[in-house]
Amino acid sequence: MRPWQPGSGGADLTRRSFLRATGAAASLLAAPALVGCVGERAPRWTGDPFSLGVAAGEPTPDGFVLWTRLAPEPLSPDPATPGGMRGGPVELTYEIATDPQLRDIVRRGTAVAEPQFAWSTHLEIAGLKPGRPYWYRFASGDATSRIGRAITAPAPGSRLDRLRFAFVSCSNWEYGYFSPYRHLADEHPDLVLFLGDYIYEVTNRRRPTLRQHSDGVTASTLPTYRNRYAQYRTDPDLQRLHAEVTALMTWDDHEVQNDYADEWSETFDDPQQFLLRRAAAYQAFYEHMPVRPSRSRPDGPSMRLYDRFAFGDLAEISMIDGRQYRSREACYAPPNGGGHLETAATCPELVDPSRSMLGMAQEQWLFDGLARSTARWNVVAQDVLMAQLHEFDKTGRKGFWTDDWNGYPASRTRLLQHIHASRPANPVVLAGDIHSFWANDLKLDFDDPRSPTVATEFVGTSITSPGVPYDLFAAFLPASPHVKFFESRKRGYAMVDLTRETMTTKFQVVSDITDKDATLSTLKTFTIEDGRAGALV
Ligand code: FE
Ligand code: CA
């Protein structure tokens, strides 16, 4: 039973307490006309304004970002009333405490839910103590949010013996329940890293699905992207995960459009038109994520998301943006706007060194960070498969998939050569997108099996999205001996346990994504030893 489910009875404290508050004065900046509002100054919520929950993200040694969005009617189909809201800004209050019952409150303050960002709020909290959990909640009028938990990072450079984090990708509402998110929350890691395809903009029209995108459309406008995020956030497992585990965020393609690259759509839209769509998609992402406003507040079609996060002397995590700055996909011409198979022979552009997966500015930022890092583990968390993969299709055509790092081999070579030359301790790459588990050695020269392994890559499977065809992909593997493990038939996530001596990565899988009560098991465990790149099974 979960408090945001209609008719869930006793747990529904926020709604009951709100209904009691009819006529109560509210602390409002303006006089917003809220849904169900009778008097000008008395917001009488007819629905829980905290229906989308709360979230924390981006820990620093003295704070984190807190998020919520007021949405008493989360899936309001009227674009003029996002989440059932209209009018001006709304003042919220928040409390932060050192205990789960909020008895020892160390911070109280106000925040503004901004109409131009769908009444979301993003609070950059500072001045707290390092390396510890806090608990928080929001209130508006007489409605209170659930209590969330957030952590601060350890003091800069301080000794840290252990960090546990999960990484996830590819949760398509229409293909299953988000039970992996529930099991992940049950494991109580310090952090969860979202590596993209948090939503799917497309709606499946071809076959019956377990549950459906509420509007039945492909999201392409601000209202439709907003409603997609809002619907996903009504999922009890995802909502609980955000309330309990501090998040680091990046995105992949489906937050905007399948296989897009910068201003280039897979459908050959006019780039200026596509940038308007991208602006809407990025804004909706911002409105729903616990990301730092001082860095990420969108500016038209631009939104800076990449950043690095340090955890004492143990780990530095670079969250990478693999979509916004990438070069156009190689041999972008009808019928191939997005991912397809090419080789240097069929498509010389594929190996053009001026092309980049990250854009040259982000490449340089990543290179500088890796060269300077003194952390024991250096995690590069990003959206798509990095290891070389020789593929072929049903017609026997061979090639490299142009939408992942195989489509940007010069950019990949620059990164791996830089890692080899600058020798950050224990570089590890994380990825999603391909709806399957992988453990790969990242080679200085993938065409030479004797070439040094300069980093290790783990790819997590999807939360619910259908896996790539197992038999087809298994047939690729003999040509890519640096792939140590592959499995596409399971849905789940990866859980990482870092110590000073080892990185242990568990591939966690659920029994059945169509079963709300799916159970969890461990598919495979890998260990990396300090100082030795490559996954040991
Ligand atoms: Fe995906
Ligand atoms: Ca993807």
Side-chain angles (χ1 to χ4, degrees):
M1 182 177 299
R2 305 182 193 278
W4 52 89
Q5 286 174 337
S8 64
D12 201 355
L13 289 174
T14 53
R15 178 164 312 182
R16 275 193 307 172
S17 59
F18 179 72
L19 290 175
R20 261 203 327 271
T22 301
S27 47
L28 304 178
L29 295 185
L34 305 167
V35 161
C37 180
V38 178
E40 267 197 329
R41 298 189 52 78
R44 291 160 55 175
W45 304 102
T46 54
D48 178 4
F50 298 105
S51 64
L52 304 181
V54 298
E58 307 201 340
T60 60
D62 73 340
F64 34 69
V65 175
L66 297 182
W67 170 94
T68 193
R69 179 190 158 201
L70 297 176
E73 193 189 329
L75 301 183
S76 168
D78 181 354
T81 59
M85 298 288 290
R86 56 197 148 83
V90 177
E91 194 176 87
L92 300 169
T93 58
Y94 67 92
E95 299 171 309
I96 301 173
T98 59
D99 64 304
Q101 291 79 35
L102 303 192
R103 290 194 187 105
D104 178 31
I105 291 176
V106 293
R107 184 73 58 86
R108 273 195 178 92
T110 60
V112 178
E114 304 169 283
Q116 68 270 37
F117 292 109
W119 285 271
S120 62
T121 195
H122 299 75
L123 283 177
E124 295 189 52
I125 303 295
L128 301 177
K129 294 203 168 75
R132 59 151 300 151
Y134 287 91
W135 288 264
Y136 65 93
R137 80 177 155 206
F138 291 95
S140 169
D142 204 26
T144 13
S145 75
R146 66 187 294 161
I147 294 172
R149 181 182 186 274
I151 61 159
T152 53
S158 64
R159 182 185 168 101
L160 182 66
D161 291 324
R162 194 170 179 207
L163 182 72
R164 288 178 68 239
F165 64 87
F167 61 96
V168 298
S169 60
C170 297
S171 49
N172 190 325
W173 176 276
E174 297 198 309
Y175 283 94
Y177 300 107
F178 293 164
S179 62
Y181 287 148
R182 177 174 73 252
H183 289 293
L184 197 172
D186 284 341
E187 292 200 62
H188 305 295
D190 300 305
L191 296 167
V192 55
L193 279 51
F194 288 88
L195 302 187
D197 292 0
Y198 184 102
I199 59 150
Y200 281 76
E201 89 291 9
V202 286
T203 286
N204 189 338
R205 293 175 184 283
R206 293 210 188 97
R207 44 194 246 206
T209 50
L210 189 75
R211 52 182 189 170
Q212 286 165 354
H213 286 151
S214 56
D215 52 13
V217 301
T218 292
S220 61
T221 61
L222 185 55
T224 51
Y225 283 117
R226 275 175 173 159
N227 270 15
R228 193 58 45 84
Y229 281 101
Q231 183 178 20
Y232 281 48
R233 277 295 173 77
T234 62
D235 182 275
D237 296 321
L238 178 55
Q239 193 167 120
R240 182 185 147 209
L241 175 60
H242 275 297
E244 295 181 9
V245 185
T246 306
L248 297 179
M249 307 298 313
T250 191
W251 51 32
D252 190 32
D253 52 341
H254 284 288
E255 283 85 353
V256 182
Q257 186 208 41
N258 182 54
D259 287 1
Y260 85 98
D262 194 354
E263 74 262 49
W264 307 102
S265 78
E266 73 159 354
T267 42
F268 305 102
D269 302 3
D270 170 68
Q272 290 310 311
Q273 283 301 117
F274 184 70
L275 284 176
L276 294 176
R277 179 177 177 183
R278 191 179 97 177
Y282 284 6
Q283 179 172 336
F285 179 95
Y286 174 77
E287 288 171 352
H288 293 84
M289 297 302 172
V291 294
R292 209 168 286 159
S294 60
R295 184 203 57 231
S296 285
R297 187 176 272 250
D299 176 15
S302 302
M303 179 176 148
R304 165 81 187 259
L305 191 55
Y306 66 88
D307 210 340
R308 63 176 67 92
F309 301 89
F311 297 89
D313 65 353
L314 188 64
E316 187 165 285
I317 301 177
S318 298
M319 298 299 294
I320 297 299
D321 179 346
R323 287 287 164 184
Q324 186 171 188
Y325 315 106
R326 66 158 75 182
S327 303
R328 200 171 69 177
E329 314 233 352
C331 292
Y332 174 90
N336 300 312
H340 58 288
L341 296 181
E342 296 287 1
T343 64
T346 61
C347 175
E349 182 191 351
L350 184 74
V351 294
D352 180 343
S354 71
R355 298 177 65 250
S356 173
M357 174 63 101
L358 308 181
M360 292 305 178
Q362 185 180 200
E363 269 193 30
Q364 197 56 54
W365 170 90
L366 177 61
F367 289 8
D368 291 347
L370 290 170
R372 268 204 310 267
S373 172
T374 55
R376 178 74 57 111
W377 299 93
N378 286 281
V379 177
V380 178
Q382 49 93 53
D383 51 343
V384 292
L385 178 74
M386 188 174 288
Q388 178 178 286
L389 185 65
H390 289 276
E391 299 190 29
F392 49 82
D393 63 19
K394 291 181 202 119
T395 69
R397 181 187 168 103
K398 292 183 173 179
F400 295 111
W401 188 247
T402 58
D403 187 63
D404 64 27
W405 284 88
N406 285 278
Y408 300 81
S411 190
R412 176 176 63 196
T413 298
R414 279 195 296 277
L415 174 57
L416 295 176
Q417 285 180 345
H418 173 78
I419 290 174
H420 185 63
S422 64
R423 303 215 176 260
N426 299 311
V428 179
V429 172
L430 308 178
D433 172 61
I434 195 166
H435 307 176
S436 40
F437 286 117
W438 301 71
N440 306 320
D441 290 348
L442 295 177
K443 310 292 281 186
L444 189 58
D445 176 1
F446 283 105
D447 296 318
D448 176 7
R450 292 161 305 171
S451 167
T453 297
V454 301
T456 316
E457 176 176 41
F458 293 108
V459 184
T461 196
S462 54
I463 295 295
T464 60
S465 303
V468 293
Y470 179 81
D471 292 337
L472 177 66
F473 274 68
F476 300 159
L477 303 187
S480 297
H482 49 271
V483 174
K484 303 303 181 190
F485 183 81
F486 163 73
E487 177 55 75
S488 66
R489 295 166 295 190
K490 300 287 184 183
R491 312 278 68 82
Y493 59 93
M495 183 65 71
V496 175
D497 204 331
L498 287 180
T499 69
R500 304 183 80 77
E501 294 78 34
T502 57
M503 170 179 181
T504 306
T505 304
K506 283 196 294 185
F507 288 168
Q508 303 287 68
V509 299
V510 294
S511 52
D512 179 359
I513 209 66
T514 66
D515 175 7
K516 275 184 184 171
D517 302 316
T519 56
L520 186 73
S521 59
T522 298
L523 176 68
K524 201 82 182 171
T525 303
F526 301 88
T527 304
I528 303 176
E529 295 171 355
D530 175 34
R532 264 182 70 177
L536 302 173
V537 179

